[in-house]
Amino acid sequence: MGLLLDLGAGFIEEWSGEENARAALALGGSAEGFAARLGAIREFSELGRFLAEPVRQYSSGMRLRLAYAVAVAEQPDVLITDEVLAIGDERFQRKCSRHIAEYLASGGTLVLATHNLYLAEKLCDRAIWLVGGRVRALGPCHEVTKLYRDSELEARGARSAPARSEASPGGLDLEGAFEADSDLRMETWAQAGEASLEIANAAGTRIATLAPRTGGTLRLKGSQLLPGSYRLRLLARRAGLERVVDEWWCRVRGDRRELGSVVLPHSWLSAPSGEQGPPEPEARLAG
Amino acid sequence: MLARVRRAAGHRRLIVELVRRDFRSRFSGARFGLLWSLLNPMIQLASYGLIFGFLYASPALGSERSFVASLFCGLWPWWAFQEGTTRGLAAVADQAALLKKLPMPAEACVVAAVTSSFLLQMIGFALFLVLFATFGVIAPRASWVLLPAIMTLEWLLTIGLALLLAPLFLVVRDTAHLVTAVLTIGFFLSPVLYPTELLPERLVSVANLNPMTALLGLYRFAALGDPWPTASSLLMLFAVTALLLVAGTRTFARLRPVLDQYW
C-alpha cells in the first residue's frame, strides 16, 4: 500500500530527505532490496545533493518528488493519492503521469481523490462521486464525470442568466442544452453599437470570440464542441472596454470521449508507419 | 515474550536508521566529530590515573600501569551503562515528534538510544584497547574474543533498565534527576575505580548484590586476565539482567496504550 496525500504528514521536518526516505523504507517492512530501493528513490526524486538537506527547507515541489519516490519505491499493490500530484513542475508531473501509466499497465491499483476531472478521466476506469461523504454516483469514470459536469452546470445556470429587461443594452436567447449533432441557435441583439459573442469552457477559459455584430440569429454547429458545459457571453465594446451584457450557460451532450473543448476539422493524409498507431485525433485547447 | 522479541527484530532496520541518525546529529557541525568523544574520556582516564595512580598511589592498587589498565576496563563499560540508561529512559520523550509522525513502536526509540550510547563507548573501548596493546600497557590475549559477548550482556541489561524507567520518566520527569544521582553513587559503589579484590572481606557479599561487580569483573577477566568473578556475583548479574529485560518489556508493553498522552 502506497500513500501519497498530505505532503507534510510522513516527513520529519528536521531530518534530511535521505534520512526520511531511509526511515520510511525501514518501516515499510521487507529488509531485502533496501539499498536498491533507496537508489530508486534517489534516482526518481532527482533531488541530488538536496537529499542531504533537512526536509523543512524543501519547497512543495521537492516534497512531492520525495514523497512520490518514497510512495512508489515499495512497489505497492494499491497507491492512494489525491491532488498533490498537481504540485510540482511540469516535467516532474509528466514523469509521474508516465510512471502511473506504467504502474497501472503492470496491474497496479490507483485510488485517486480529486476534483480534477481531466486527471480522473485520464487515469481512472471507474469513479465514485462523493457529496458530503455519500455516494452520488458510481460507475465508469467517463459517465460519472459527465454527471458531475452537468450538475455543476445546473448549479451555475441557476446563479447566472440575468433577466432580460428593457433597460438592458443587449442580450441573447437560447435553449439551455442541446445535442452534439444538432445546431445551436440563438438570438442576439445589441442596443448601442456592436457586440461580440464569447464562448468559454466551464473553467472560464475563452475558446473563441466571434466577430462583433449588432445582432441577429446566430447558428453554431453543435458538433464542433465537445461534450461539456460552456459559457456564452455577449460582450459590448465601448471606449476600448469590454462589458458583459448577457451571460448564458449551455451544455453540450454527447458521447464523444476526446478531451478538451472543441473539435478541429482535420484529416490524416498517410497511413500509420511502424507499429505505432496514429495519435489520437483530438485537439485539446483548454481544459 | 518470544513474539515480542521477534517483533522487535523485525524493526532492526528501523533501529539501525535511528542509531545512524543519532550518531550524525551528535557530531554534525563539529569539525572533529568523533575525536571529541574519544578525547573527553581520555582526559578522565588520565585524571583518575594521575590522582589514584601517582598522587595517592596505594600499593594495593598495583603498579601504575596495571592500575590504568584496570581503570580503563572499569570506566568505559560504566560510561556505556550510565549514558545508555540516562539517554534510553528519556528516549521516548525526546523522540515524541518522531513517534507522532511515524507508525513505529516506542520501544525502538529506547533500544536505539541505548545502542547508540553503547556503540560510541565500545568503539572507544576497542580503540583504546588496541592503543594500550600497542604501547604494551595491556598484553593481547585470546580471551578478548569474549568481549563482544560481555558487551552484549551489558547492552541487554541496560535496555531492560531503560525500558523499565522510560514510562516512569514520561509520567514523573524527576526520574531522570533521581537516576543521575543514583548513578553517581553507583559509580563509587561499583568497582570502577578499584578492583573487587580490594574490598574488605565483609563488604564482598554486599558488593556481589550489585550486578556491576560481576560485569566489570568479566570485562577485566576477558581484557586483562584478572581472576574470574565469583559464582554468586555472576548468578546475580544474570538474574538481574533477565529480570530487568522481562520486567522492562512487559511493563512497557502494558503501559504503552496509556503513555500516548504523556508525549
Side-chain angles (χ1 to χ4, degrees), chain A residues 72-118:
Chain A
V72 299
E74 295 281 343
Q75 280 144 3
D77 295 326
V78 183
L79 179 63
I80 302 177
T81 185
D82 62 10
E83 281 153 342
V84 295
L85 275 183
I87 306 171
D89 60 286
E90 189 82 18
R91 205 179 61 82
F92 192 76
Q93 274 189 32
R94 270 205 302 277
K95 189 170 168 180
C96 285
S97 302
R98 214 162 42 234
H99 183 272
I100 288 182
E102 278 166 24
Y103 167 77
L104 292 175
S106 65
T109 304
L110 173 75
V111 179
L112 175 73
T114 184
H115 285 102
N116 186 334
L117 301 184
Y118 171 68

Side-chain angles (χ1 to χ4, degrees), chain A residues 8-16 19 22-23 26-27 34, chain B residues 11-14 17-18 20-21 24 97-98 101-104:
Chain A
F11 292 139
I12 314 291
E13 297 288 317
E14 297 307 310
W15 287 23
S16 74
E19 282 164 347
R22 284 175 159 273
L27 280 167
F34 186 91
Chain B
H11 286 108
R12 66 184 184 281
R13 191 77 241 186
L14 178 71
E17 292 310 325
L18 289 174
R20 264 178 73 104
R21 164 72 206 175
R24 196 179 294 178
L98 196 69
K101 288 238 171 173
L102 300 182
M104 58 183 260

Side-chain angles (χ1 to χ4, degrees), chain A residues 18 28 36 40-41 81 83 90 109 115 124 130 144 149 151 177 190 225 231 233 261 264-265 270 285:
Chain A
E18 167 137 2
I41 291 177
T81 185
E83 281 153 342
E90 189 82 18
T109 304
H115 285 102
C124 302
L130 291 171
V144 175
R149 285 199 177 97
S151 96
L225 291 174
R231 189 187 66 196
R233 271 177 172 175
S261 299
L264 291 182
S270 63
L285 276 181

Side-chain angles (χ1 to χ4, degrees), chain A residues 145-156:
Chain A
T145 53
K146 215 167 82 185
L147 283 172
Y148 181 87
R149 285 199 177 97
D150 286 355
S151 96
E152 203 173 53
L153 170 66
E154 272 153 28
R156 283 190 199 181

Side-chain angles (χ1 to χ4, degrees), chain B residues 27-237:
Chain B
F27 299 121
S28 73
R31 193 171 290 251
F32 297 106
L34 197 74
L35 223 58
W36 289 113
S37 64
L38 295 177
L39 187 70
N40 290 332
M42 207 166 79
I43 291 171
Q44 288 210 48
L45 177 70
S47 316
Y48 283 122
L50 268 175
I51 293 169
F52 296 109
F54 294 95
L55 287 177
Y56 298 101
S58 149
L61 288 171
S63 71
E64 296 95 24
R65 200 171 266 204
S66 70
F67 173 67
V68 167
S70 173
L71 195 58
F72 159 71
C73 286
L75 283 175
W76 265 261
W78 176 264
W79 286 329
F81 171 71
Q82 177 183 289
E83 199 195 309
T85 308
T86 49
R87 294 196 69 219
L89 77 92
V92 179
D94 287 344
Q95 306 281 30
L98 196 69
L99 287 165
K100 279 185 197 133
K101 288 238 171 173
L102 300 182
M104 58 183 260
E107 286 98 328
C109 293
V110 179
V111 175
V114 174
T115 309
S116 168
S117 306
F118 259 74
L119 220 56
L120 197 63
Q121 295 303 338
M122 290 310 147
I123 288 172
F125 185 81
L127 271 172
F128 279 102
L129 192 63
V130 172
L131 210 67
F132 283 143
T134 320
F135 290 104
V137 181
I138 299 171
R141 55 183 69 243
S143 56
W144 281 11
V145 297
L146 290 175
L147 283 170
I150 300 169
M151 290 170 186
T152 310
L153 183 69
E154 193 191 0
W155 178 67
L156 288 173
L157 173 86
T158 314
I159 286 178
L161 185 61
L163 280 177
L164 196 63
L165 292 172
L168 196 62
F169 173 70
L170 280 175
V171 183
V172 189
R173 295 292 162 125
D174 306 63
T175 309
H177 301 290
L178 185 70
V179 168
T180 309
V182 170
L183 282 173
T184 309
I185 301 169
F187 177 73
F188 294 101
L189 289 185
S190 304
V192 180
L193 295 176
Y194 51 88
T196 326
E197 296 81 57
L198 219 67
L199 284 173
E201 200 66 48
R202 59 203 160 81
L203 283 183
V204 169
S205 55
V206 182
N208 282 351
L209 292 176
N210 179 0
M212 289 316 273
T213 306
L215 191 73
L216 297 178
L218 279 177
Y219 271 104
R220 290 190 173 116
F221 161 78
L224 310 174
D226 277 15
W228 184 255
T230 58
S232 60
S233 68
L234 272 177
L235 201 69
M236 196 66 201
L237 171 63

